[in-house]
Amino acid sequence: MALEIMRELSPVKAIDSATLMQRLEAKGIKRSQRSVQRTLGMLVEHFDIECDTRSKPYGYRWRTQSKEFSVRSLSESDSLMLLLAEQHLKNLMPTQMLKAMEGFFEQAHRKVAPAIASLSEDEATRLSAQWLDKVRIVSATQPLLPPRIDEAVLEAVSSALYANKWLNIDYRNQTQQAKSAYVMPLGIAQQGVRLYLVCRFEGYDNERTLAINRITAATVSTKAFERPADFDLDKYDEDGRFASSEGPRVQLSFKIRKKAGLHLTESPLSKDQTIEDCGDHYAVSAPLQDTLRLRQWLQGFGGDVWDTAMQPVHE
């Protein structure tokens, strides 16, 4: 429906929700006027569309200076971009924005599907469509199936995060105990197939990471908050805070055979890593958070790593 509504809007003349509802019905899309109004509200929030509230009924149109999002002109490359975004960003985009984008995703599927089936499409189009089968993100660890996440929970978490609203949650901790909390949502991160919420519990100024699949219920509060200026999701990640069994910050040093450690010359452990070529091996040093994941990573090299040491870093 969002796709068809955007098709009907123009930057020249505003159109009201009742007229849009009639035009949708003429296309075989039967929706209530209230449903059309809700969709228009999402489009105004996330796209360059304005609502004229000077008189009723309210009129909607593309902003005069904006470039219309022309869904009629979706090319094969546009469609591929949207489908890749749908695959890899669907858990990281605000739920409201995803709903507004559903029509674009449907349009992209319709554009690409005939080419995948090679139905009366030219060679260039077929090659473009085959791109989806030629690229993928490969897991660096043993692949796992994603845990089931309650859609209502994900929508509430996403909405509260987007709007800087407090969140009431019920969740199960690692020992399967049922808990309730009032939390300030600060970030969502995807690690492998799992989604995590970074938040602060009411009355505390430190961050905690909760697996979203363990949240059994979530309700967005009407109470807003000012996003903490001292929180940075990138730094939170760089500090290894998404790893399990988080420990103190340490200066890690070890030696590793060249064949096993070549990738560390290309992908350092941290920005402050130092690596010395010692002939048949490398001597590596880097400041890191001491975590179970780090120790498991080191153990995975077996005899190719030796002289491992972790010295506490006093900050």
Side-chain angles (χ1 to χ4, degrees):
M1 179 173 67
L3 175 66
E4 295 299 334
I5 289 176
M6 294 176 83
R7 280 176 167 167
E8 294 294 336
L9 298 179
S10 82
V12 179
K13 183 179 180 180
I15 183 171
D16 62 74
S17 59
T19 303
L20 282 168
M21 183 183 69
Q22 294 170 0
R23 292 187 181 182
L24 290 173
E25 189 168 347
K27 295 181 178 182
I29 303 174
K30 295 185 178 182
R31 295 289 189 276
S32 68
Q33 188 172 351
R34 181 59 185 148
S35 177
V36 172
Q37 289 171 341
R38 283 198 299 269
T39 302
L40 283 166
M42 288 190 293
L43 294 175
V44 167
E45 184 176 358
H46 298 297
F47 293 93
D48 205 12
I49 294 171
E50 64 181 355
C51 174
D52 185 351
T53 59
R54 290 175 295 180
S55 62
K56 291 187 176 181
Y58 295 162
Y60 299 83
R61 66 181 179 184
W62 289 99
R63 294 185 187 277
T64 306
Q65 302 301 320
S66 72
K67 180 181 178 181
E68 293 182 58
F69 197 122
S70 177
V71 295
R72 291 187 180 89
S73 61
L74 274 182
S75 66
E76 286 79 14
S77 58
D78 294 332
S79 300
L80 290 171
M81 177 193 69
L82 284 170
L83 293 180
L84 286 171
E86 182 187 25
Q87 288 177 18
H88 302 299
L89 298 177
K90 60 184 178 182
N91 288 329
L92 302 177
M93 292 175 68
T95 306
Q96 302 98 317
M97 190 177 294
L98 274 177
K99 286 182 178 179
M101 291 292 292
E102 282 177 357
F104 296 111
F105 293 143
E106 292 172 7
Q107 175 82 353
H109 279 288
R110 289 197 298 270
K111 184 78 174 181
V112 171
I116 293 177
S118 298
L119 298 177
S120 66
E121 295 285 338
D122 60 35
E123 183 64 15
T125 303
R126 286 198 301 273
L127 289 175
S128 295
Q130 289 171 3
W131 185 256
L132 288 174
D133 293 326
K134 296 179 179 179
V135 295
R136 73 177 285 118
I137 295 175
V138 179
S139 174
T141 59
Q142 174 62 37
L144 300 172
L145 294 176
R148 195 187 77 82
I149 293 176
D150 187 302
E151 289 186 10
V153 166
L154 183 58
E155 180 170 356
V157 169
S158 174
S159 297
L161 176 65
Y162 185 82
N164 289 337
K165 295 287 184 69
W166 284 85
L167 192 64
N168 288 292
I169 62 170
D170 296 329
Y171 69 101
R172 292 176 287 104
N173 63 15
Q174 290 183 326
T175 61
Q176 296 298 298
Q177 291 180 307
K179 301 278 187 178
S180 295
Y182 192 51
V183 302
M184 176 191 293
L186 298 175
I188 288 178
Q190 182 166 340
Q191 186 179 60
V193 296
R194 298 173 69 86
L195 276 180
Y196 293 92
L197 169 67
V198 181
C199 60
R200 288 185 182 180
F201 280 50
E202 185 182 28
Y204 295 85
D205 60 4
N206 63 312
E207 292 78 34
R208 290 183 59 182
T209 305
L210 301 177
I212 294 181
N213 62 285
R214 291 180 182 155
I215 299 177
T216 55
T219 305
V220 182
S221 167
T222 57
K223 182 181 176 183
F225 63 85
E226 191 72 28
R227 186 171 174 83
D230 61 347
F231 176 75
D232 186 314
L233 189 60
D234 285 341
K235 187 175 187 305
Y236 189 87
D237 182 23
E238 289 174 3
D239 289 343
R241 301 288 298 279
F242 288 111
S244 56
S245 300
E246 180 186 329
R249 194 160 179 80
V250 297
Q251 185 70 32
L252 169 68
S253 61
F254 59 92
K255 294 176 181 176
I256 184 169
R257 298 192 193 283
K258 275 194 169 179
K259 187 176 181 180
L262 177 62
H263 66 289
L264 295 176
T265 67
E266 304 161 335
S267 302
L269 284 165
S270 73
K271 294 177 181 177
D272 298 322
Q273 171 186 289
T274 62
I275 186 165
E276 181 183 355
D277 189 332
C278 300
D280 62 345
H281 69 274
Y282 296 114
V284 182
S285 179
L288 296 166
Q289 208 79 23
D290 181 9
T291 64
L292 176 60
R293 185 173 64 184
L294 174 61
R295 292 176 180 268
Q296 290 174 336
W297 178 78
L298 288 167
Q299 290 171 2
F301 289 104
D304 286 335
V305 165
W306 67 97
D307 286 354
T308 301
M310 293 186 182
Q311 298 297 327
V313 173
H314 302 290
E315 298 179 307

